[in-house]
Amino acid sequence: MLKYMFFILCSILFCNSIIPAVEAAELTGLQSAHKMKIMINIPSRLLTLFSDGKAVRMYAVGIGRFDAPTPVGEYQILSKEINPTWIKPGEEVVKIESGPDNPLGYRWMQIEGNYGIHGTNQPNSIGGYVSSGCIRMREADVEELYDLVPIGTSVSILYKRLVIEKNPDKVVTFYIYPDEYHSQPLDIQAVNKKLAEFGVDRFVSDEKISDKLLAANGEATFVGKSFSVMVNEQKLNVAGVVQNGMVYLPVIPIASQLKLAVTWNKESESLNTAYGTVPGYVKKDILYMNANDVDRLFHLELDWHDSDTLFLNRKISVDTALPTPPVTSRPVSKNDVVMKHANESTHTTPMMPDFGKMDQVKN
């Protein structure tokens, strides 16, 4: 149990480190139902509070057991109560007044019927699949949330095992959580498809994704930052990526835009044009180069207009009158791929492990 609590603490510390700090005084002026929103992700067992679309608080929660799942859907806070009385479902004669023996703790926020967000007299159950469908919070957390959200605040409950997000530095990170309700299977193809939406799918190996799917422990996997590449004022259809301090540029799209021949030597893992030879890198059958070598290979200059777009411009000099024959580069085949595990970004940080089931616990 101490190990579980340690991982919960690590999870909250990590999550809060990427959420902008918002003073209580600032939140006071935002407490209207249309500006505040609660999102609960069942697989991650995390509740996030949004203000004006920005995450401002994140809390670990306990959610419904497999045999009494927390319902997915769109709800809102219908009522709020301080020092609630617990009434056993189906047996209204069984009641527990507010106090240390009350399973609801000292705060209750109803979202539908007998379902609600509330405190608990069993704080060690937080982070587990433990309730009869309600959302449990630590007492200090639920009291803070209670003061921040008004009646009418929307509550969105999701079942999302794969979570992909960008931190303030726009580095893409993904998490894969367990499928406790056995309702959302995931495979390598599905994960790659989602990572492709962020432009970083080629920078996580299928082997690494397979390992993450098997573990399904919610650990963070940092991938990298994608950015747009412009050549001759044309946006390339393949993004560049910053990973482990290196800026990777897609080789063939650049060469095609310049109408410049480029060849790949798989033995020496090098790229060659009429201008010179530089190291190359294969990422899932796509050739990349280090942006620092773009002058030597393509006689181009780097121009960062902003952190999201890199412009590649021709160098102006007296010795640029080289022929520009059509692209004749040989396509890269799967047999040419040499995956270098040392180049993969696989730094992980413990997030939210499977805390297991807590028996004999009621809402």
Side-chain angles (χ1 to χ4, degrees):
M1 184 59 67
L2 289 176
K3 180 174 71 174
Y4 295 158
M5 295 304 296
F6 170 77
F7 279 114
I8 294 175
L9 179 61
C10 289
S11 172
I12 298 303
L13 289 176
F14 176 81
C15 292
N16 285 338
S17 70
I18 65 173
I19 297 177
V22 179
E23 298 296 334
E26 295 174 335
L27 282 170
T28 301
L30 298 176
Q31 291 181 6
S32 60
H34 70 282
K35 290 184 177 180
M36 307 295 287
K37 180 175 182 177
I38 292 171
M39 187 181 77
I40 300 163
N41 187 15
I42 292 173
S44 68
R45 288 143 287 162
L46 292 173
L47 181 154
T48 306
L49 174 64
F50 294 86
S51 176
D52 282 337
K54 180 185 296 184
V56 294
R57 293 288 189 275
M58 186 174 283
Y59 308 99
V61 296
I63 47 89
R65 304 183 305 272
F66 174 76
D67 61 341
T70 298
V72 172
E74 298 296 325
Y75 307 96
Q76 61 178 296
I77 295 178
L78 301 176
S79 65
K80 298 170 63 178
E81 185 178 356
I82 296 177
N83 299 327
T85 297
W86 180 77
I87 301 175
K88 187 174 182 179
E91 300 182 34
E92 295 186 2
V93 296
V94 181
K95 299 181 180 180
I96 299 179
E97 300 296 329
S98 179
D101 296 328
N102 191 315
L104 301 180
Y106 298 93
R107 297 292 186 275
W108 164 262
M109 289 170 277
Q110 180 195 22
I111 61 173
E112 184 179 79
N114 292 325
Y115 294 107
I117 302 168
H118 60 79
T120 181
N121 62 348
Q122 300 188 48
N124 288 343
S125 68
I126 299 301
Y129 303 91
V130 292
S131 75
S132 295
C134 286
I135 297 93
R136 295 182 185 178
M137 301 180 68
R138 293 188 187 87
E139 194 59 40
D141 292 344
V142 74
E143 290 182 17
E144 179 180 67
L145 181 67
Y146 186 98
D147 292 339
L148 292 175
V149 297
I151 291 175
T153 298
S154 64
V155 179
S156 180
I157 302 179
L158 312 173
Y159 197 91
K160 192 174 182 180
R161 292 186 59 207
L162 173 62
V163 176
I164 305 176
E165 59 187 27
K166 288 185 179 181
N167 67 13
D169 294 326
K170 300 182 179 178
V171 174
V172 176
T173 306
F174 75 92
Y175 315 77
I176 297 177
Y177 295 100
D179 190 14
E180 181 71 12
Y181 291 175
H182 308 296
S183 62
Q184 192 176 82
L186 280 177
D187 56 23
I188 294 174
Q189 182 180 1
V191 175
N192 273 321
K193 183 177 179 180
K194 283 295 183 180
L195 288 173
E197 296 177 10
F198 293 80
V200 297
D201 55 306
R202 296 178 179 94
F203 286 78
V204 185
S205 71
D206 288 349
E207 292 84 356
K208 174 55 64 177
I209 293 175
S210 177
D211 290 343
K212 291 295 179 181
L213 286 169
L214 289 173
N217 56 13
E219 289 185 347
T221 301
F222 299 88
V223 183
K225 173 186 174 180
S226 65
F227 57 90
S228 299
V229 181
M230 302 284 291
V231 180
N232 293 338
E233 300 183 353
Q234 295 294 318
K235 182 180 178 180
L236 302 185
N237 60 359
V238 180
V241 173
V242 181
Q243 186 184 70
N244 293 336
M246 183 182 291
V247 179
Y248 291 89
L249 297 177
V251 175
I252 301 304
I254 296 174
S256 298
Q257 188 62 38
L258 296 174
K259 295 182 172 57
L260 183 66
V262 61
T263 56
W264 164 246
N265 187 314
K266 69 175 184 179
E267 284 75 23
S268 62
E269 297 184 353
S270 62
L271 299 159
N272 182 74
T273 67
Y275 295 114
T277 302
V278 302
Y281 309 91
V282 179
K283 302 287 187 179
K284 293 185 179 178
D285 292 3
I286 299 294
L287 275 171
Y288 289 87
M289 62 177 294
N290 189 332
N292 290 337
D293 296 327
V294 74
D295 180 11
R296 191 186 317 169
L297 191 67
F298 292 123
H299 212 56
L300 297 173
E301 292 181 321
L302 304 176
D303 181 8
W304 288 100
H305 279 212
D306 56 60
S307 62
D308 295 324
T309 306
L310 174 61
F311 287 80
L312 301 180
N313 303 317
R314 285 192 178 276
K315 294 188 69 175
I316 300 175
S317 64
V318 296
D319 59 350
T320 57
L322 288 174
T324 56
V327 176
T328 58
S329 55
R330 176 173 59 85
V332 181
S333 67
K334 289 187 177 180
N335 292 331
D336 294 334
V337 178
V338 180
M339 298 304 298
K340 293 184 175 180
H341 293 288
N343 287 334
E344 295 179 4
S345 176
T346 57
H347 176 70
T348 57
T349 301
M351 281 297 296
M352 187 68 74
D354 187 348
F355 298 101
K357 296 183 178 180
M358 304 288 291
D359 296 331
Q360 307 300 322
V361 180
K362 302 177 182 177
N363 273 344

